[in-house]
Amino acid sequence: MFEDRYSLAFKLYPYKRSADQDADTVVRHPVVVVGGGPIGLATALDLGRQGVPVVLLDDHEGVGMGSRAICFAKRTLDIADRWGCGTAMLDKGVVWNVGRVFQDDRQVFEFNLQPEEGHANPAFINLQQPFFEKFIFEQICEEQRKGAPIEIRGKNRVDHVASFDDHVVLEVATPEGPYTLEAEWVVGCDGASSPLRGMLGLGFEGRVFEDSFLIADIKMTSDDFPTERWFWFEPYFKSGASTLLHKQPDDIWRVDFQIGWDVDRAEELKEENIRRRLDAMLGGDVEYEIVWSSIYTFQCRRMEKFRHGRVLFAGDSAHQVSPFGARGANSGIQDVDNLGWKLGLVVRGIAPEQLLDTYDDERIFAADENILNSTRATEFITPKSKVSHTFRNAVLKLAEQHAFARPMVNSGRLSVPCVYDASPLNGPDDLPDGPEQTRVGSSCKDAPLGDGFLLQQLGDDFAVLALNTEVPTSIQVGDIPVRTVAVATSDESFGALSERYLGAAKSAVYLIRPDQHVAGRWSTFDETAVHAATLKACGRD
Amino acid sequence: MAKLITHPNMASPDDFYADLIAAHEGKSDAESEAFNARLILVLANHIGDQAVLKEALVASQ
Ligand SMILES: Cc1cc2nc3c(=O)[nH]c(=O)nc-3n(C[C@H](O)[C@H](O)[C@H](O)COP(=O)(O)OP(=O)(O)OC[C@H]3O[C@@H](n4cnc5c(N)ncnc54)[C@H](O)[C@@H]3O)c2cc1C
């Protein structure tokens, strides 16, 4: 039997019989990705663009319907730009910068996320997750047309897995019966309830927050609510202990009510009961249509390790956070960004297998940071003791009048890229007076360059960025290609570049990894040092 | 390396004590509790230094 567990927003890859199902001997692929949510699709795209053959198995035939992620961060858009699908997301998405926090009927304060000029992408866009996934899928199709070896198999459900030293065996169910497949590497992107994790007997520890959230996506045309993030603590309209209102494309609004732990789900999800909450909030005479509703509870947890021999976990299967801060899909995309080039180098025999252990080092560090932030936000939004509630409200009251209390208000610390400060791949930070924001381990900051922007010119290979100093036009470190980008900042229009990459230094040389994180920096080009740092960043020292 | 001042540091401790009690006058228990919380936050911000604040948390146990 093969039944869908959820309905589809977009049917993208209908089941088709693959030659592997009729093969006499079991076929082995270099990489199999399990799960075609945003993280699995992105993994297939990243690997395929490198020319690494990849087969993606998903138990449905497209993108699931429903209200999940809506907030996508700048870093995600920068990564999507590298893949070629950032523009489609930005064009469809709603750009927002302003957030307002209310308590009861008073505004506590407002914030503006747009910190500085000179970036190709905004701090955040709102976009329904199904569109986000569809744009990644469309880019996969585009790459396939250009010859990228990506294959997506719909209604292919992984039911059993056995992991060996040098390969993995997968039993796959299809509407036409099961077949067996082998992979040198498996990337598990099968979501928070990851069957793969279960099949390998791996744990997923953390904590459950005892509160439920009723999510309603509504379609309304209203000028009363601007394109801003509005968050109420203990709202006067009493539709929830907290309430979030946020705009999506197509006149759709996300409304999120905190409704308590012991709720009768079926009762709460009745349209009349959802409308009662919405009417109280919007005022009785606003017309709207409920597009989607569901009730969620939240957890913060992660696997102890993300690499298990030949199986690597990414996205929600590896770590789960509460949505305050939009750190779910956004951090999953950073997983892919981190794992993609490493797995690519390993499959092509350029880097040793141990490079993949640094995926664990770097992304577990990131997951802990995300879990910490979203746990703290959840604590603040849903205080679990009387005294914590008292302090929370004290902060809100003070924040109305006193600037000092505003940074303590926590309605979600929005996703920012992780800085791999302690990564074993980091090379020297030999740029005295170099800016903190581009220190070794951090992701490159964007800046205007020529007619475009810096990040677009760094590409997907290793790169050397030289400012006000000579570098060779191309560098080859053994079999690792390194591109060079040289700029002179004498031109005034490079103010942002100087500020972000030179600071007080006169010249600088940055070694940048394929995921556009800084691997080392110096004041001038030293071939030996750059070679050594490149090898180190590939786990080859 | 204790940074928290634990020796007498107020010119007129009796005045502060009297002001503190007076500030709570007419408040219900819940209001007093909320007031205390705000007071702690205001004072904590004035101190600012996380190490000193940590010592204060320990000293008050
Ligand atoms: C209410 C809510 C709001 C959120 N808001 C945000 C936000 O604003 N920003 C943000 O960044 N994140 C947000 N998130 C989190 C985000 O939705 C998830 O982090 C994201 O979907 C994780 O993607 P994934 O690909 O890892 O897993 P999933 O999206 O769960 O995809 C897993 C895929 O694997 C498939 N699969 C499962 N088992 C098998 C099997 N045995 N064989 C084959 N395929 C299988 C599934 O069908 C599915 O397609 C939110 C989540 C919720 C619930």
Side-chain angles (χ1 to χ4, degrees):
Chain A
M1 271 313 286
F2 210 110
E3 299 215 344
D4 279 354
R5 291 178 291 118
Y6 48 79
S7 53
L8 296 185
F10 304 112
K11 186 166 175 170
L12 301 175
Y13 37 84
Y15 169 76
K16 260 192 6 221
R17 193 170 180 86
S18 110
D20 291 358
Q21 286 165 262
D22 301 312
D24 292 336
T25 52
V26 173
V27 180
R28 185 179 293 188
H29 295 271
V31 182
V32 168
V33 174
V34 180
I39 307 313
L41 288 170
T43 303
L45 176 58
D46 192 288
L47 291 168
R49 291 181 72 257
Q50 300 177 56
V52 174
V54 48
V55 174
L56 182 151
L57 309 173
D58 190 85
D59 60 352
H60 291 69
E61 296 179 303
V63 178
M65 187 116 93
S67 314
R68 299 180 70 192
I70 57 166
C71 295
F72 293 94
K74 178 176 188 308
R75 177 70 185 147
T76 294
L77 295 172
D78 287 344
I79 296 168
D81 270 344
R82 184 168 69 73
W83 291 329
C85 48
T87 310
M89 293 169 183
L90 191 56
D91 286 350
K92 172 89 187 169
V94 173
V95 176
W96 63 276
N97 291 308
V98 174
R100 289 177 201 276
V101 176
F102 303 90
Q103 187 185 28
D104 196 354
D105 57 354
R106 302 176 312 272
Q107 178 171 321
V108 174
F109 74 108
E110 63 176 271
F111 58 84
N112 193 331
L113 290 176
Q114 197 58 42
E116 50 183 21
E117 296 284 299
H119 295 266
N121 284 310
F124 266 94
I125 61 165
N126 281 3
L127 178 70
Q128 297 91 324
Q129 182 167 333
F131 284 106
F132 181 77
E133 297 183 38
K134 184 163 171 272
F135 293 139
I136 298 176
F137 177 79
E138 283 167 359
Q139 190 62 32
I140 289 177
C141 299
E142 177 67 27
E143 300 293 336
Q144 284 171 330
R145 280 191 286 276
K146 290 190 261 172
I150 308 171
E151 198 191 323
I152 301 193
R153 298 185 187 167
K155 278 204 193 282
N156 270 239
R157 186 184 66 223
V158 175
D159 277 350
H160 295 283
V161 60
S163 186
F164 300 91
D165 280 351
D166 63 346
H167 73 287
V168 181
V169 180
L170 302 146
E171 302 288 337
V172 183
T174 77
E176 295 181 303
Y179 70 106
T180 305
L181 199 62
E182 289 182 0
E184 279 165 25
W185 298 96
V186 167
V187 187
C189 307
D190 51 347
S193 55
S194 175
L196 193 63
R197 212 176 47 220
M199 292 170 211
L200 293 169
L202 301 167
F204 200 41
E205 304 309 322
R207 83 184 255 221
V208 181
F209 289 95
E210 297 200 339
D211 223 311
S212 329
F213 291 79
L214 170 68
I215 297 202
D217 281 345
I218 59 174
K219 194 174 176 88
M220 68 171 177
T221 32
S222 166
D223 300 326
D224 294 346
F225 303 100
T227 307
E228 298 176 348
R229 178 185 196 261
W230 285 14
F231 192 96
W232 284 266
F233 292 98
E234 303 174 339
Y236 64 92
F237 45 80
K238 307 225 177 297
S239 303
S242 69
T243 297
L244 174 77
L245 176 72
H246 216 171
K247 189 161 196 229
Q248 305 174 48
D250 311 318
D251 294 320
I252 298 190
W253 298 76
R254 162 69 49 91
V255 189
D256 191 346
F257 299 115
Q258 179 191 341
I259 61 171
W261 182 234
D262 278 321
V263 292
D264 180 341
R265 287 180 168 238
E267 192 60 26
E268 293 296 346
L269 282 170
K270 282 186 183 155
E271 171 146 359
E272 74 240 39
N273 289 330
I274 300 177
R275 282 194 172 267
R276 193 173 37 76
R277 290 182 192 271
L278 287 166
D279 290 345
M281 168 184 181
L282 301 168
D285 45 2
V286 176
E287 297 226 348
Y288 57 86
E289 178 197 337
I290 301 176
V291 183
W292 180 266
S293 60
S294 49
I295 290 180
Y296 289 95
T297 56
F298 298 127
Q299 322 207 10
C300 287
R301 49 185 180 167
R302 72 159 164 88
M303 296 179 75
E304 201 185 318
K305 290 170 77 51
F306 300 166
R307 180 183 176 199
H308 292 270
R310 294 259 157 177
V311 184
L312 299 128
F313 289 86
D316 275 13
S317 67
H319 45 75
Q320 200 184 6
V321 292
S322 71
F324 309 109
R327 288 166 181 266
N330 284 307
S331 70
I333 291 295
Q334 291 178 46
D335 289 348
V336 179
D337 194 37
N338 191 288
L339 179 58
W341 66 275
K342 293 177 180 172
L343 188 54
L345 289 180
V346 170
V347 170
R348 281 178 288 155
I350 295 174
E353 206 182 298
Q354 289 72 14
L355 180 60
L356 298 172
D357 290 331
T358 69
Y359 167 68
D360 249 2
D361 296 324
E362 295 183 338
R363 295 311 298 167
I364 283 179
F365 177 70
D368 285 345
E369 188 173 285
N370 288 318
I371 287 173
L372 181 70
N373 275 290
S374 71
T375 301
R376 286 178 171 174
T378 312
E379 289 270 2
F380 194 88
I381 293 166
T382 66
K384 285 295 168 284
S385 69
K386 188 158 168 276
V387 67
S388 135
H389 190 218
T390 304
F391 272 110
R392 197 280 302 276
N393 285 358
V395 168
L396 293 172
K397 185 95 200 295
L398 289 167
E400 264 179 65
Q401 284 171 36
H402 301 293
F404 87 82
R406 287 170 203 158
M408 282 186 209
V409 175
N410 192 346
S411 67
R413 298 277 178 247
L414 292 166
S415 173
V416 285
C418 182
V419 181
Y420 306 131
D421 275 317
S423 171
L425 300 182
N426 287 350
D429 201 333
D430 274 350
L431 182 65
D433 305 322
E436 173 85 2
Q437 58 173 320
T438 40
R439 67 184 184 275
V440 173
S442 58
S443 62
C444 283
K445 303 297 167 300
D446 209 358
L449 187 62
D451 299 336
F453 286 88
L454 171 68
L455 296 188
Q456 296 160 353
Q457 295 179 39
L458 294 176
D460 331 75
D461 288 323
F462 275 91
V464 164
L465 171 67
L467 299 104
N468 303 336
T469 187
E470 303 265 303
V471 276
T473 44
S474 80
I475 304 170
Q476 190 72 31
V477 180
D479 40 9
I480 309 162
V482 180
R483 83 161 69 192
T484 55
V485 178
V487 263
T489 59
S490 44
D491 189 335
E492 269 301 296
S493 61
F494 288 130
L497 198 65
S498 303
E499 182 199 318
R500 290 165 204 168
Y501 288 87
L502 285 175
K506 297 260 172 303
S507 66
V509 171
Y510 282 77
L511 175 66
I512 295 162
R513 315 192 317 193
D515 59 3
Q516 302 186 343
H517 276 255
V518 176
R521 61 177 184 178
W522 304 266
S523 6
T524 53
F525 182 71
D526 171 344
E527 190 171 349
T528 320
V530 168
H531 274 237
T534 307
L535 292 175
K536 185 173 191 203
C538 293
R540 265 170 51 174
D541 62 343
Chain B
M1 267 230 317
K3 291 189 200 151
L4 182 73
I5 301 169
T6 50
H7 60 77
N9 191 39
M10 289 186 205
S12 175
D14 286 353
D15 284 344
F16 169 70
Y17 194 82
D19 286 350
L20 179 64
I21 302 303
H24 282 273
E25 245 161 57
K27 287 190 163 46
S28 68
D29 286 354
E31 285 164 350
S32 272
E33 210 181 314
F35 172 87
N36 280 339
R38 293 196 293 274
L39 182 64
I40 290 170
L41 295 169
V42 168
L43 296 175
N45 181 65
H46 183 83
I47 294 166
D49 186 331
Q50 177 76 2
V52 176
L53 291 168
K54 282 211 167 198
E55 284 185 49
L57 288 171
V58 173
S60 313
Q61 280 294 337

